[in-house]
Amino acid sequence: MADVAARAGVSHQTVSRVLNQPSLVRPSTRQRVEQAIAELGYRRNMSARALATRRSSLIGVVSPAVTLFGPSHMATAIQDAARQFGYATISATTGRTSPTEALDFFLTLGVEGIIVIAPTRQTATEASRLAGTLPVVAVAAGMGKVRPLHVVAIDNEQGARDATRHLIDLGHERIAHIAGPRDWFDARARIEGWRLELESAGLPVPDVIEGGGWGAADGHAAAQRLLEMADRPTAVFAANDDLALGAMRAFHTAGLRIPQDIAVVGYDDVANTAFYEPPLTTVRQPFDDLGRHALEALVATIEGRQPEGELSPPELVVRESSVGSAAG
């Protein structure tokens, strides 16, 4: 850092401010310091900084041991946001390892706080027990407030309502829902949003079609049951895009046209949904915003401040799997 200061013609303290609080430094000075950093190839020594400040700048991230789009992208978004905040992340997955065991591991490394991606009640409950030991933020839709645990989430209920309202506005009156696993907060919130929107429109609420899982095969099996119904729905809202993909395959095989005979809406906006046949209408989740939000909440908790806000709004992305369909 002294070399950077000498090259830029500034004080050691100015270099420190550029690294830690750049908004406090004049742009011209900040540019000189950043140029000196680039020329010298300077990298902060996190171990030395931890010794000097007695802060590790480490955050633990606990995520489920699954490769599903939502949790995996949430973990990536948190890691990206952590770097922007000047923190490094250490990850552990649940499965064979419980959140409590992950906490013990993180404590040996001196983490300043933990973010737990908690898709199920069991994981969220364990996360709430960790909150008495050090700052913990849970990413858990539908969990509600559990102090001292701070919860941030995407508003899955509203996303489901938007998807259902979209189909209602197209004229559909028989709208089925293919659900994800009931022990997941996201799945339950999407069921509730679908149900509430149908009720608010004065439409019948049919039985939920259980997918059993989150995969395309689960959606295909659920759609087969829909096809056997005497009063077949004219539209389907699936709890994620893989379920929607499996359902679309079943409908194509049965000779149904999408969206003319049956409209389909998914959830997540995974990669390549714009290239499904037809392109899939879906609900996009703002994972980058939520990752930054989770980091802001954790940093606020670490610094003894009250975190702000809790829910991030999703966005309906309308494509050809629903638009232009004719409800019968």
Side-chain angles (χ1 to χ4, degrees), residues 7-10 26-37:
R7 174 69 67 92
V10 299
R26 286 184 302 178
S28 59
T29 302
R30 186 168 68 241
Q31 184 176 1
R32 292 207 316 274
V33 172
E34 290 172 344
Q35 183 176 347
I37 288 172

Side-chain angles (χ1 to χ4, degrees), residues 103 126-137 146-150:
L103 171 65
E126 292 192 51
S128 67
R129 287 200 292 266
L130 310 185
T133 306
L134 79 171
V136 178
V137 168
V146 182
R147 302 301 180 192
L149 182 68
H150 187 76

Side-chain angles (χ1 to χ4, degrees), residues 87-284:
Y87 285 87
T89 57
I90 304 169
S91 299
T93 58
T94 58
R96 294 182 180 179
T97 301
S98 71
T100 302
E101 291 171 325
L103 171 65
D104 292 337
F105 169 66
F106 288 150
L107 288 177
T108 65
L109 301 175
V111 300
E112 295 190 39
I114 295 177
I115 296 176
V116 180
I117 301 172
T120 65
R121 174 66 63 180
Q122 179 182 5
T123 306
T125 300
E126 292 192 51
S128 67
R129 287 200 292 266
L130 310 185
T133 306
L134 79 171
V136 178
V137 168
V139 181
M143 182 180 177
K145 296 182 178 180
V146 182
R147 302 301 180 192
L149 182 68
H150 187 76
V151 180
V152 299
I154 291 170
D155 193 344
N156 280 277
E157 183 177 307
Q158 184 60 53
R161 294 194 71 151
D162 292 344
T164 307
R165 169 52 57 183
H166 168 67
L167 292 169
I168 293 171
D169 288 344
L170 290 171
H172 294 282
E173 297 182 354
R174 300 192 303 278
I175 303 171
H177 179 54
I178 298 177
R182 290 286 187 121
D183 60 337
W184 281 62
F185 288 121
D186 290 356
R188 293 207 298 270
R190 292 167 198 175
I191 292 172
E192 184 67 4
W194 163 78
R195 182 186 64 79
L196 288 173
E197 198 60 33
L198 288 178
E199 289 179 346
S200 70
L203 295 176
V205 181
D207 292 338
V208 171
I209 306 299
E210 302 288 350
W214 290 108
D218 300 303
H220 189 274
Q224 296 285 6
R225 295 198 295 275
L226 286 174
L227 290 169
E228 295 171 357
M229 294 180 177
D231 192 18
R232 192 183 67 213
T234 63
V236 172
F237 165 47
N240 80 346
D241 293 337
D242 283 347
L243 290 169
L245 177 62
M248 290 168 70
R249 173 64 177 171
F251 298 149
H252 282 308
T253 302
L256 297 181
R257 298 168 301 162
I258 302 171
Q260 291 88 346
D261 298 321
I262 189 164
V264 180
V265 175
Y267 204 106
D268 280 340
D269 195 27
V270 302
N272 300 319
T273 48
F275 297 93
Y276 286 11
E277 182 52 45
L280 180 65
T281 294
T282 185
V283 178
R284 179 181 297 154

